[in-house]
Amino acid sequence: MGKPEGKTITRKKRVRVSPVMYKVYPTSTSDVCPDESCCLVCLGNNSCQTVLSRTKLMTKLIKKGKPQEVFNVFNGLKEEGHQPTLITYTTLLAALTLQKQLKAIPSLISMVEENGMKPDSIFFNAAINAYAEAGRVEEAMKIFHKMKESGCKPTTSTFNTLIKCYGIVGKPEESLKLLELMTEEENVKPNDMTYNILVRAWCNKSISEAWNIVYRMVASGLQPDVVTYNTLARAYAQSGETSKAEAIICEMQKNKIEPNERTCGIIVNGYCSEGNTEDALRFVYHMKDLGVRPNLVVFNSLIKGFLDITDTEGVDEALTLMEEFGVKPDVITFSTIMNAWSSAGLMQKCQEMFNDMVKSGIEPDIHAFSILAKGYIRAGEPEKAESLLMSMAKAGVPPNVVICTTLISGWCSAGKMEYAMRIYDNMCEMAISPNLKTFETLIWGFGEAKQPWQAEELLQIMEDKGVLADQSTILLVADAWRSIGLFDEAKRVMNMVTEDRSLVENAKKDDKPTENLKWICQGENLSEYSKGFQISHLAVKDHNGSTTANIRSQTVQRQYRISPRCFWVATNPISFTHRCWFGVKSSVFYHQQFQARVEICGQLVHSRRWVV
């Protein structure tokens, strides 16, 4: 009797879930049947249609940019007792790459092997590419060596990916070594993509060396293509030598290679970046002779170039050319012009451009709304900026943290902190996570409103939201207290973050206690200091061994998480007797002769308006 597809049998082994993958997939051969049941078709090593269809679904989700849903589909397969195929695992690897879950890759490889499958070149190449995209050369090379040790022969694609990796980290010399290594492998030869990757790698360091790669490419019997020349043209344009980029077209035509829209876009954008709109416009007219039709990217670059030098006549000419070529403007076209009007303070024209965009049937995006909001904030009209939230809701465009923070800055500048906090509360209700800029804007606002206690309370809210305070954050809170003349309170705030530098320096050298210093680390090793920490109470002992815990100038009275970037050195007009270096996690420091002093010399922060 045949085995009906989807039918399962009971198994005794239970599932264990890898903590690295946040419970995304099981981790060993004992995890084959999570619900104590397995698909009979999968056990028979036959093609299970359920696995095939789910794997195709995972691929579609990756193309749609939804890697998290890929994990859900994979989990569903395991829970139903199905055994994923190597293609399924390769697809899962692609999802890990998109989510930058690189730490999970070794576990995934081990699981594939434990489940009796041998990774193929496609799987190993996907793993190498994951590390290559992140510029992690050592890990990529480890996978490469593992690939060879497993008996799986590297392919041209393998070497191309590794060469790309060295290019990303700025080591094209190492890329050349890999090119030599390719010649030692059987049935592996560099192709046009290999040389194009090498050209790109060298363009970031030396254009002359990039040309040498082109000559080497020709010597190998391969001809440079349009991608090769576009890479060289982009390098010239980015280095401010767009005229040389244009000259490459002659070289292309000599080799019977026609420039394409990308070639022309690089040249137009290059001239515009140099402020040379005259040559940019000339080249747009010249594109007709080249047989290339100017596209939207070309015109958007040209319009931005004219706007950057405030040439309104040039903008009109570019728009006229667009009509002649039948190229319709898009949201980027309108947003570029809107941004120019907004920056010039001409909000009526900016709003008119926005209205024209909507009338033409182009749906505004979050960037277009942000330009309007920022413009109204600059113009001192926060109420108009906030009214955009209603327009966004009608257009189906959800607000993000940037536009919400912009609105908050507007109300802070107007001195209406209750309105600013209302925007903040709305953010939280809409599940929009505030960031450091959001909190620093509110803290600055409360400082301007002479409400430093409110500013300091935000430090605890930041802690609750998991946002680390930076050095600028603490300076803002201290300045808020200083603005109403309470300098002792400002010093108290500064003492939260002005630990004696020698404490940490000694800890870095040696974890052992010294004559004048004792480290008592609770729960974490000092080697973890670089990960950021939660400040605990600083206890100061007198010569009799008693502890004074409530002296405001010598203790940290509240606990706030501080960014590890927060390392201050004494600078004018601020002089710190003790410098701060944040990094030790959950540690209490006992110093027998410690005195915290903060010497404030002059005004720290001048009052100013914030527009983010």
Side-chain angles (χ1 to χ4, degrees), residues 45-71:
N45 292 323
N46 297 316
S47 297
C48 177
Q49 291 302 313
T50 301
V51 175
L52 292 175
S53 62
R54 299 281 181 86
T55 302
K56 288 180 180 179
L57 175 59
M58 290 166 65
T59 303
K60 289 179 181 178
L61 289 171
I62 287 176
K63 290 180 179 178
K64 292 180 180 179
K66 299 178 179 180
Q68 185 57 49
E69 294 186 23
V70 171
F71 302 142

Side-chain angles (χ1 to χ4, degrees), residues 1 126 224 257 391:
M1 186 175 179
I257 297 172
S391 300

Side-chain angles (χ1 to χ4, degrees), residues 13 308 472 477 504 555:
K13 296 182 179 179
D308 287 343
S472 55
V477 176
V504 176
T555 61

Side-chain angles (χ1 to χ4, degrees), residues 24-93:
V24 166
Y25 59 79
T27 58
S28 75
T29 52
S30 64
D31 304 332
V32 174
C33 306
D35 287 331
E36 300 185 350
S37 60
C38 278
C39 171
L40 294 176
V41 178
C42 291
L43 285 178
N45 292 323
N46 297 316
S47 297
C48 177
Q49 291 302 313
T50 301
V51 175
L52 292 175
S53 62
R54 299 281 181 86
T55 302
K56 288 180 180 179
L57 175 59
M58 290 166 65
T59 303
K60 289 179 181 178
L61 289 171
I62 287 176
K63 290 180 179 178
K64 292 180 180 179
K66 299 178 179 180
Q68 185 57 49
E69 294 186 23
V70 171
F71 302 142
N72 296 334
V73 174
F74 183 87
N75 283 334
L77 273 177
K78 301 298 293 183
E79 290 167 3
E80 294 170 15
H82 293 286
Q83 177 60 50
T85 64
L86 183 59
I87 297 175
T88 312
Y89 283 113
T90 305
T91 309
L92 182 64
L93 180 53

Side-chain angles (χ1 to χ4, degrees), residues 532-550:
F533 73 108
Q534 182 158 349
I535 298 178
S536 298
H537 286 281
L538 177 67
V540 183
K541 291 186 177 182
D542 59 23
H543 294 289
N544 298 322
S546 61
T547 301
T548 306
N550 295 317

